[in-house]
Amino acid sequence: MTAEMIAPEWMHRQITSEEYDSWTEEQCAGVEIVDGMVVVSPSASILHKRLARYLANALDQAGGEDWNADTDFDVRLQDVPLNNRRPDVVVYRRDAVHETPARPSNVLLLVEVVSPGSETTDRVVKFDQYAKAGIPFYWRVEQAPGRVPVVHTYVLDAAGRSYRADELFTGLVKAVVPYPVEVDLTEL
């Protein structure tokens, strides 16, 4: 069996931003591009999707007229080599709703819900990539069956392009990003 029988040819070479931009929404779903290479993400669990949607709804409501929050769409971190991520939740400027893909300059907060297969990527790789791209806030949500999710919040140190740990929340999240957000995760 050849590699081409398992995965299409484009999964074995670097993809340019122009090539990726020509793909359909269906082709882009469930993939991220890291250093130009396609990374296929396994489908998230129902709890993972529910938690992301719940957070997005709360962040969207708190964002008022200036900020939107949505799930599962592309954020273009850099063009060459292409780094395109699909965070679980993206808070972005409402006036940038039609800009595709979303650019870091329009993003306020990215949220990643950690899954069994994404621990290192969410805790280390994306943490570093989002900071280098200049995303002001990053939340990492740890979940365990039967337990209330834990939210680790980080704030960008713009001078060093690195995150510093901010608050840690279990159950009730009361944060400022820069608008106040209150989310009760015990209701899930």
Side-chain angles (χ1 to χ4, degrees):
M1 186 177 303
T2 67
E4 185 60 32
M5 295 169 75
I6 297 168
E9 177 270 329
W10 53 261
M11 290 186 75
H12 301 284
R13 63 175 172 78
Q14 281 194 317
I15 303 297
T16 66
S17 58
E18 293 81 14
E19 185 174 8
Y20 185 77
D21 291 344
S22 74
W23 292 1
T24 66
E25 185 67 29
E26 292 79 29
Q27 288 173 300
C28 297
V31 303
E32 293 181 314
I33 310 295
V34 180
D35 293 330
M37 300 302 291
V38 174
V39 177
V40 178
S41 302
S43 185
S45 71
I46 292 172
L47 179 60
H48 181 118
K49 290 177 187 176
R50 180 169 172 72
L51 180 54
R53 184 175 45 81
Y54 188 82
L55 283 165
N57 289 345
L59 289 161
D60 194 57
Q61 184 175 7
E65 295 180 12
D66 296 327
W67 300 100
N68 285 342
D70 285 305
T71 60
D72 192 35
F73 68 87
D74 291 338
V75 176
R76 178 75 44 92
L77 300 177
Q78 80 184 36
D79 287 306
V80 179
L82 181 59
N83 277 326
N84 214 70
R85 290 294 192 175
R86 292 181 79 90
D88 292 309
V89 179
V90 180
V91 176
Y92 59 97
R93 294 183 195 291
R94 181 158 283 166
D95 61 1
V97 71
H98 298 291
E99 292 182 27
T100 304
R103 296 292 181 157
S105 59
N106 292 320
V107 175
L108 176 67
L109 164 69
L110 296 178
V111 179
E112 293 288 355
V113 178
V114 178
S115 294
S118 71
E119 294 97 343
T120 301
T121 301
D122 293 341
R123 292 180 187 145
V124 179
V125 178
K126 289 182 179 180
F127 181 88
D128 185 53
Q129 287 179 338
Y130 295 162
K132 284 185 175 28
I135 308 296
F137 297 91
Y138 176 59
W139 290 5
R140 188 184 79 238
V141 182
E142 303 278 346
Q143 57 178 344
R147 294 196 202 140
V148 176
V150 176
V151 179
H152 301 260
T153 66
Y154 302 92
V155 177
L156 183 67
D157 169 16
R161 289 284 179 152
S162 62
Y163 287 118
R164 67 171 168 75
D166 200 28
E167 297 184 69
L168 177 71
F169 299 98
T170 303
L172 183 62
V173 177
K174 286 187 173 188
V176 176
V177 291
Y179 59 87
V181 176
E182 187 170 318
V183 185
D184 187 356
L185 298 177
T186 61
E187 297 177 6
L188 287 172

